[in-house]
Amino acid sequence: MNRKHTVIGLPSSVFFSIFFILFSLISSGQVSSTIDSTSIKIGEQITYYVQVEADSTALVVFPEGQTFSPLEMIESYEIDTLKKIDKYNLIKKYGLTQFDSGSYTIPRQKIIVGDKTFFTDSLKVEVNNVVVDTTQGLYDIKPIIAVEKSGSDWWKYLLLTVLVIGVLAFLLYWFIWRKKPLTEDEKIALLPPYDRAKLAIRKLDESTYLENQNLKDYYSELTFIIRKYLDEKVYDKALESTTDELITRLKILKQGNQVDLSKDDIKNLEDILKRADLVKFAKSAPDIELAKIDRDTIDVEIDHVKEALPEPTEEEKLLDEKYREEQERKKKRKKIWLTVGISVFLLLATLTGLSLKYGFDLVKDTIIGHDSKELLEGDWVRSEYGFPPITISTPKVLKRSTPELPEEMAQQIELTQFSYGSLIDKFQIQVATTNIKNLGENKINLEQAMEGTLKVFENAGAQNIITKNEKFVTPNGAEGLKVYGTMDSPVLGTDKLEKGKYVILGFTAESVVQQVMLFYKEQDVYAEQMVDRILNSVELKPAEE
């Protein structure tokens, strides 16, 4: 059944206070029930008979399942049919038993004949203990056997996590933070410019350029050594300048007393650089001995350039020290950013893999946290509420929340209510039992009682309540009505509405209405799982007379 209510708000905490107004009566009919014995021994079977007188065209529905609790149905027999003029007598038999001694009441059974509902009378059965033969020997009670408790595997996941983090930390240290042994080129790069130039001269002596008369490469190396030294200590564009530009710059620096080079030193450098240009670009081929002399001249000129340079001031030394410190900081920052980048990449890759396997929402809620997820994965409680008791498993213990009824209403109904959460929370559970006094021969109409609950929602303020009804059977066989759907709940302190869902279970027995109500927000997958778990746990136990 689908319908839509347009209303203006939500109920607060009292959902059951006007049920009795909405109960209707169901007339009794030609239905009777009997049992073949009112006293049995433990485990002995009794036969329960239901007799219905109906028209030949009437559809008759007998109870099925464990509706005879506290007695247990062990067999349901075929229906016997007897014709009587224009009517039929239908006789349905059930085999019942009980394995605990005591006085029990078989509850009233619902029989549907056509479009009418009838209830049988409740019947009392006495279950007696089996007489024990005391002449037989008795044996001691077996001692308690210790069972090894199976441990949790949490330590395995912790060990794996620590192992993975340890491996990643070692790799980051080994490839990024570890001080690696310097290569030969790195050691040379750390030398001062003068020592580096003198070392380059010695390496040139070890080369085979002159032996192979490879003067072009020889002069290229030789002039690069002096140009590199001048670039670092005298003129920072010595490497990219032409010979004429470099010599002109040296003369200007000499005139400005910035470099104390003699005219002979500058002339020697000019001759060697121009000769090297001829060798490199004009394919000139000077004598090998002249090339050796040029090598010695460059070696001497490196010494003269060093002597010609003024001693660095304390300020220059400090600037050099700051420069080296800044370079070290840059290297350290580079390592930090590289470590952070690799760590973020690995983290994102891990989260992406987990999201693809388990879903993004689950991974996000596991890391950040989610109220409903914590309730779902917490320690649940199974308990009984009200009388007759409703047994139910919930994520938290339900607290008594029975409202104080007006005196006039308290004379007509007796209400017991337990709850957890509220409608402004993300999840709410309520269990209530309403006992209607002085009902007499009248019968409770459960559908109209549930309609009354929806009216309470409307009067208290919900909007756009959409409902569906269906039959509901508990795991222990109790039949009831399930009403569920959606509604718009107001957000506290605002005029906004939030889409939510609800499930209401309703049960009746004689003058008692029992209800389980669940409210949760739409799109909350963890709440959906909690609702399924709760619904599968509901069991009803009839009150013993």
Side-chain angles (χ1 to χ4, degrees), residues 215 219-220 222-224 226-227 241-248 251 265-286 290 294 298:
L215 294 175
Y219 271 97
S220 295
L222 183 63
T223 54
F224 177 80
I226 187 61
R227 279 177 176 271
S241 300
T242 64
T243 298
D244 291 337
E245 290 173 343
L246 177 58
I247 296 302
T248 300
K251 291 177 180 179
D265 290 328
I266 296 176
K267 184 69 171 74
N268 290 337
L269 291 174
E270 183 179 9
D271 292 342
I272 295 173
L273 290 174
K274 286 186 175 181
R275 190 161 31 252
D277 290 341
L278 292 174
V279 173
K280 290 187 288 183
F281 303 116
K283 298 183 179 180
S284 175
L290 179 58
D294 288 342
I298 290 296

Short mmCIF file of all heavy atoms in Angstrom, two decimals, residues 215 219-220 222-224 226-227 241-248 251 265-286 290 294 298:
data_model
loop_
_atom_site.label_atom_id
_atom_site.label_comp_id
_atom_site.label_asym_id
_atom_site.label_seq_id
_atom_site.Cartn_x
_atom_site.Cartn_y
_atom_site.Cartn_z
N LEU A 215 95.59 17.87 -31.08
CA LEU A 215 95.82 19.20 -30.53
C LEU A 215 94.52 19.98 -30.30
O LEU A 215 94.45 20.82 -29.40
CB LEU A 215 96.75 20.00 -31.47
CG LEU A 215 98.17 19.45 -31.58
CD1 LEU A 215 98.96 20.22 -32.63
CD2 LEU A 215 98.88 19.52 -30.24
N TYR A 219 93.97 21.67 -26.71
CA TYR A 219 93.84 23.10 -26.46
C TYR A 219 92.44 23.45 -25.93
O TYR A 219 92.29 24.42 -25.17
CB TYR A 219 94.14 23.89 -27.74
CG TYR A 219 95.60 24.22 -27.88
CD1 TYR A 219 96.44 23.42 -28.66
CD2 TYR A 219 96.15 25.32 -27.23
CE1 TYR A 219 97.79 23.71 -28.78
CE2 TYR A 219 97.51 25.63 -27.36
CZ TYR A 219 98.32 24.82 -28.13
OH TYR A 219 99.66 25.11 -28.23
N SER A 220 91.43 22.66 -26.34
CA SER A 220 90.09 22.90 -25.79
C SER A 220 90.08 22.68 -24.28
O SER A 220 89.52 23.48 -23.52
CB SER A 220 89.07 21.97 -26.46
OG SER A 220 88.94 22.28 -27.83
N LEU A 222 92.77 22.71 -22.28
CA LEU A 222 93.68 23.66 -21.64
C LEU A 222 93.02 25.02 -21.44
O LEU A 222 93.09 25.61 -20.35
CB LEU A 222 94.95 23.78 -22.48
CG LEU A 222 96.05 24.69 -21.92
CD1 LEU A 222 96.56 24.12 -20.59
CD2 LEU A 222 97.20 24.83 -22.93
N THR A 223 92.40 25.53 -22.49
CA THR A 223 91.77 26.86 -22.38
C THR A 223 90.53 26.81 -21.49
O THR A 223 90.19 27.82 -20.84
CB THR A 223 91.39 27.39 -23.77
OG1 THR A 223 90.57 26.41 -24.45
CG2 THR A 223 92.63 27.67 -24.60
N PHE A 224 89.82 25.67 -21.44
CA PHE A 224 88.65 25.56 -20.56
C PHE A 224 89.08 25.67 -19.09
O PHE A 224 88.40 26.28 -18.27
CB PHE A 224 87.92 24.23 -20.79
CG PHE A 224 86.75 24.03 -19.86
CD1 PHE A 224 85.53 24.65 -20.11
CD2 PHE A 224 86.88 23.25 -18.72
CE1 PHE A 224 84.47 24.48 -19.24
CE2 PHE A 224 85.82 23.06 -17.85
CZ PHE A 224 84.61 23.68 -18.11
N ILE A 226 91.71 27.36 -17.78
CA ILE A 226 91.98 28.74 -17.38
C ILE A 226 90.72 29.59 -17.42
O ILE A 226 90.51 30.47 -16.57
CB ILE A 226 93.12 29.35 -18.26
CG1 ILE A 226 93.53 30.72 -17.72
CG2 ILE A 226 92.68 29.41 -19.73
CD1 ILE A 226 94.05 30.68 -16.30
N ARG A 227 89.87 29.37 -18.43
CA ARG A 227 88.62 30.14 -18.51
C ARG A 227 87.73 29.82 -17.29
O ARG A 227 87.10 30.72 -16.73
CB ARG A 227 87.87 29.79 -19.80
CG ARG A 227 88.39 30.52 -21.03
CD ARG A 227 87.64 30.06 -22.27
NE ARG A 227 88.03 30.80 -23.46
CZ ARG A 227 87.48 31.94 -23.88
NH1 ARG A 227 86.48 32.47 -23.17
NH2 ARG A 227 87.89 32.53 -24.98
N SER A 241 82.55 34.32 -23.04
CA SER A 241 83.13 35.45 -23.78
C SER A 241 84.10 34.96 -24.86
O SER A 241 84.73 33.90 -24.73
CB SER A 241 83.88 36.38 -22.82
OG SER A 241 83.01 36.90 -21.84
N THR A 242 84.24 35.78 -25.90
CA THR A 242 85.28 35.50 -26.89
C THR A 242 86.64 35.87 -26.30
O THR A 242 86.73 36.49 -25.23
CB THR A 242 85.04 36.29 -28.18
OG1 THR A 242 85.14 37.70 -27.87
CG2 THR A 242 83.65 36.00 -28.74
N THR A 243 87.70 35.49 -27.04
CA THR A 243 89.04 35.80 -26.54
C THR A 243 89.24 37.30 -26.39
O THR A 243 89.76 37.79 -25.38
CB THR A 243 90.10 35.22 -27.49
OG1 THR A 243 89.96 33.79 -27.52
CG2 THR A 243 91.51 35.59 -27.03
N ASP A 244 88.85 38.06 -27.40
CA ASP A 244 89.02 39.52 -27.35
C ASP A 244 88.22 40.11 -26.19
O ASP A 244 88.71 41.02 -25.49
CB ASP A 244 88.59 40.15 -28.68
CG ASP A 244 89.54 39.78 -29.82
OD1 ASP A 244 90.71 39.44 -29.52
OD2 ASP A 244 89.11 39.83 -30.99
N GLU A 245 86.97 39.63 -26.00
CA GLU A 245 86.14 40.17 -24.91
C GLU A 245 86.77 39.86 -23.56
O GLU A 245 86.77 40.72 -22.65
CB GLU A 245 84.74 39.56 -24.97
CG GLU A 245 83.93 40.04 -26.17
CD GLU A 245 82.61 39.31 -26.31
OE1 GLU A 245 82.47 38.21 -25.69
OE2 GLU A 245 81.73 39.80 -27.05
N LEU A 246 87.30 38.68 -23.40
CA LEU A 246 87.90 38.29 -22.12
C LEU A 246 89.15 39.12 -21.84
O LEU A 246 89.36 39.62 -20.72
CB LEU A 246 88.23 36.79 -22.14
CG LEU A 246 88.92 36.26 -20.88
CD1 LEU A 246 88.08 36.52 -19.63
CD2 LEU A 246 89.18 34.75 -21.03
N ILE A 247 90.04 39.27 -22.84
CA ILE A 247 91.29 40.03 -22.64
C ILE A 247 90.96 41.49 -22.35
O ILE A 247 91.57 42.12 -21.48
CB ILE A 247 92.20 39.89 -23.88
CG1 ILE A 247 92.63 38.42 -24.06
CG2 ILE A 247 93.42 40.80 -23.75
CD1 ILE A 247 93.34 37.83 -22.86
N THR A 248 89.99 42.02 -23.06
CA THR A 248 89.59 43.41 -22.81
C THR A 248 89.09 43.57 -21.38
O THR A 248 89.41 44.56 -20.71
CB THR A 248 88.48 43.83 -23.80
OG1 THR A 248 88.98 43.71 -25.14
CG2 THR A 248 88.03 45.26 -23.55
N LYS A 251 92.01 43.63 -18.93
CA LYS A 251 92.71 44.91 -18.96
C LYS A 251 91.94 45.97 -18.17
O LYS A 251 92.54 46.78 -17.46
CB LYS A 251 92.92 45.37 -20.40
CG LYS A 251 93.93 44.50 -21.16
CD LYS A 251 94.05 44.96 -22.62
CE LYS A 251 95.07 44.10 -23.38
NZ LYS A 251 95.19 44.51 -24.81
N ASP A 265 101.41 38.85 -18.01
CA ASP A 265 100.44 37.79 -17.72
C ASP A 265 99.26 37.86 -18.70
O ASP A 265 98.83 36.84 -19.26
CB ASP A 265 99.92 37.92 -16.29
CG ASP A 265 101.01 37.57 -15.27
OD1 ASP A 265 101.86 36.72 -15.59
OD2 ASP A 265 100.95 38.12 -14.15
N ILE A 266 98.76 39.06 -18.90
CA ILE A 266 97.61 39.23 -19.81
C ILE A 266 98.01 38.88 -21.22
O ILE A 266 97.26 38.23 -21.97
CB ILE A 266 97.07 40.66 -19.72
CG1 ILE A 266 96.53 40.92 -18.30
CG2 ILE A 266 95.98 40.91 -20.75
CD1 ILE A 266 96.08 42.35 -18.07
N LYS A 267 99.30 39.28 -21.62
CA LYS A 267 99.77 38.98 -22.97
C LYS A 267 99.92 37.48 -23.16
O LYS A 267 99.55 36.94 -24.22
CB LYS A 267 101.11 39.68 -23.20
CG LYS A 267 101.66 39.51 -24.61
CD LYS A 267 100.77 40.29 -25.62
CE LYS A 267 101.42 40.33 -27.00
NZ LYS A 267 101.35 39.06 -27.71
N ASN A 268 100.44 36.80 -22.17
CA ASN A 268 100.60 35.33 -22.26
C ASN A 268 99.23 34.66 -22.43
O ASN A 268 99.07 33.75 -23.25
CB ASN A 268 101.29 34.79 -21.02
CG ASN A 268 102.77 35.19 -20.97
OD1 ASN A 268 103.38 35.49 -22.00
ND2 ASN A 268 103.32 35.20 -19.76
N LEU A 269 98.25 35.09 -21.68
CA LEU A 269 96.90 34.51 -21.78
C LEU A 269 96.30 34.79 -23.16
O LEU A 269 95.67 33.92 -23.77
CB LEU A 269 96.00 35.08 -20.68
CG LEU A 269 96.32 34.64 -19.25
CD1 LEU A 269 95.44 35.38 -18.25
CD2 LEU A 269 96.13 33.12 -19.08
N GLU A 270 96.54 36.02 -23.66
CA GLU A 270 95.98 36.37 -24.97
C GLU A 270 96.59 35.51 -26.06
O GLU A 270 95.88 35.00 -26.94
CB GLU A 270 96.23 37.85 -25.23
CG GLU A 270 95.63 38.32 -26.55
CD GLU A 270 95.88 39.81 -26.78
OE1 GLU A 270 96.65 40.43 -26.01
OE2 GLU A 270 95.29 40.35 -27.74
N ASP A 271 97.91 35.30 -26.02
CA ASP A 271 98.59 34.50 -27.06
C ASP A 271 98.08 33.06 -27.05
O ASP A 271 97.79 32.47 -28.10
CB ASP A 271 100.10 34.53 -26.84
CG ASP A 271 100.69 35.91 -27.10
OD1 ASP A 271 99.99 36.72 -27.77
OD2 ASP A 271 101.80 36.18 -26.62
N ILE A 272 97.97 32.48 -25.85
CA ILE A 272 97.54 31.07 -25.77
C ILE A 272 96.09 30.91 -26.21
O ILE A 272 95.74 29.98 -26.95
CB ILE A 272 97.76 30.53 -24.35
CG1 ILE A 272 99.26 30.51 -24.02
CG2 ILE A 272 97.14 29.14 -24.19
CD1 ILE A 272 99.56 30.16 -22.59
N LEU A 273 95.23 31.84 -25.80
CA LEU A 273 93.80 31.74 -26.17
C LEU A 273 93.62 31.90 -27.67
O LEU A 273 92.80 31.20 -28.28
CB LEU A 273 92.99 32.79 -25.40
CG LEU A 273 92.85 32.55 -23.89
CD1 LEU A 273 92.16 33.73 -23.22
CD2 LEU A 273 92.07 31.26 -23.62
N LYS A 274 94.36 32.85 -28.29
CA LYS A 274 94.23 33.03 -29.74
C LYS A 274 94.80 31.84 -30.50
O LYS A 274 94.26 31.45 -31.54
CB LYS A 274 94.94 34.32 -30.15
CG LYS A 274 94.16 35.58 -29.73
CD LYS A 274 94.82 36.83 -30.27
CE LYS A 274 93.96 38.08 -29.94
NZ LYS A 274 94.55 39.33 -30.45
N ARG A 275 95.91 31.28 -29.98
CA ARG A 275 96.47 30.09 -30.64
C ARG A 275 95.47 28.93 -30.54
O ARG A 275 95.31 28.16 -31.48
CB ARG A 275 97.81 29.73 -29.99
CG ARG A 275 98.56 28.67 -30.77
CD ARG A 275 100.05 28.58 -30.47
NE ARG A 275 100.45 28.92 -29.14
CZ ARG A 275 101.10 30.04 -28.83
NH1 ARG A 275 101.40 30.95 -29.77
NH2 ARG A 275 101.47 30.29 -27.57
N ALA A 276 94.81 28.82 -29.42
CA ALA A 276 93.81 27.76 -29.26
C ALA A 276 92.63 27.96 -30.20
O ALA A 276 92.10 27.00 -30.76
CB ALA A 276 93.32 27.71 -27.81
N ASP A 277 92.26 29.23 -30.42
CA ASP A 277 91.18 29.51 -31.38
C ASP A 277 91.56 29.07 -32.78
O ASP A 277 90.75 28.51 -33.53
CB ASP A 277 90.85 31.01 -31.37
CG ASP A 277 90.17 31.44 -30.07
OD1 ASP A 277 89.64 30.55 -29.36
OD2 ASP A 277 90.16 32.65 -29.77
N LEU A 278 92.84 29.32 -33.15
CA LEU A 278 93.29 28.90 -34.48
C LEU A 278 93.28 27.38 -34.61
O LEU A 278 92.95 26.83 -35.66
CB LEU A 278 94.70 29.44 -34.74
CG LEU A 278 94.80 30.98 -34.90
CD1 LEU A 278 96.27 31.39 -35.01
CD2 LEU A 278 94.04 31.44 -36.14
N VAL A 279 93.68 26.71 -33.53
CA VAL A 279 93.69 25.24 -33.57
C VAL A 279 92.27 24.70 -33.68
O VAL A 279 91.99 23.77 -34.45
CB VAL A 279 94.40 24.67 -32.33
CG1 VAL A 279 94.25 23.15 -32.29
CG2 VAL A 279 95.87 25.05 -32.34
N LYS A 280 91.33 25.28 -32.94
CA LYS A 280 89.95 24.76 -32.89
C LYS A 280 89.16 25.14 -34.12
O LYS A 280 88.37 24.33 -34.63
CB LYS A 280 89.25 25.28 -31.63
CG LYS A 280 89.79 24.68 -30.35
CD LYS A 280 88.95 25.08 -29.15
CE LYS A 280 89.17 26.55 -28.82
NZ LYS A 280 88.42 26.97 -27.60
N PHE A 281 89.37 26.36 -34.63
CA PHE A 281 88.48 26.83 -35.70
C PHE A 281 89.17 26.95 -37.06
O PHE A 281 88.50 26.93 -38.09
CB PHE A 281 87.90 28.20 -35.32
CG PHE A 281 87.17 28.16 -33.99
CD1 PHE A 281 87.63 28.89 -32.91
CD2 PHE A 281 86.04 27.37 -33.83
CE1 PHE A 281 86.97 28.85 -31.70
CE2 PHE A 281 85.38 27.33 -32.62
CZ PHE A 281 85.84 28.07 -31.54
N ALA A 282 90.50 27.09 -37.08
CA ALA A 282 91.21 27.24 -38.36
C ALA A 282 92.09 26.04 -38.68
O ALA A 282 92.88 26.07 -39.64
CB ALA A 282 92.08 28.51 -38.34
N LYS A 283 91.97 25.03 -37.86
CA LYS A 283 92.72 23.79 -38.07
C LYS A 283 94.24 24.02 -38.11
O LYS A 283 94.97 23.38 -38.87
CB LYS A 283 92.26 23.07 -39.33
CG LYS A 283 90.80 22.63 -39.28
CD LYS A 283 90.40 21.86 -40.53
CE LYS A 283 88.95 21.42 -40.45
NZ LYS A 283 88.53 20.65 -41.65
N SER A 284 94.71 24.97 -37.32
CA SER A 284 96.15 25.21 -37.21
C SER A 284 96.78 24.05 -36.45
O SER A 284 96.16 23.44 -35.58
CB SER A 284 96.39 26.54 -36.48
OG SER A 284 97.77 26.73 -36.26
N ALA A 285 98.06 23.77 -36.71
CA ALA A 285 98.74 22.65 -36.08
C ALA A 285 100.09 23.09 -35.56
O ALA A 285 101.13 22.91 -36.21
CB ALA A 285 98.89 21.50 -37.07
N PRO A 286 100.11 23.71 -34.36
CA PRO A 286 101.39 24.11 -33.78
C PRO A 286 102.22 22.89 -33.36
O PRO A 286 101.73 21.78 -33.30
CB PRO A 286 100.97 24.96 -32.57
CG PRO A 286 99.64 24.44 -32.21
CD PRO A 286 98.99 24.04 -33.49
N LEU A 290 105.53 23.30 -28.45
CA LEU A 290 104.88 24.58 -28.15
C LEU A 290 103.62 24.34 -27.31
O LEU A 290 103.31 25.12 -26.39
CB LEU A 290 104.52 25.29 -29.45
CG LEU A 290 103.80 26.64 -29.29
CD1 LEU A 290 104.65 27.61 -28.47
CD2 LEU A 290 103.47 27.23 -30.66
N ASP A 294 102.81 25.96 -23.72
CA ASP A 294 101.54 26.63 -23.40
C ASP A 294 100.91 26.04 -22.15
O ASP A 294 100.33 26.75 -21.33
CB ASP A 294 100.58 26.51 -24.58
CG ASP A 294 101.00 27.39 -25.75
OD1 ASP A 294 101.80 28.31 -25.52
OD2 ASP A 294 100.50 27.14 -26.87
N ILE A 298 100.11 28.20 -18.76
CA ILE A 298 98.78 28.26 -18.12
C ILE A 298 98.89 27.87 -16.66
O ILE A 298 98.27 28.48 -15.78
CB ILE A 298 97.79 27.34 -18.85
CG1 ILE A 298 97.46 27.90 -20.23
CG2 ILE A 298 96.51 27.14 -18.04
CD1 ILE A 298 96.74 29.24 -20.20
#
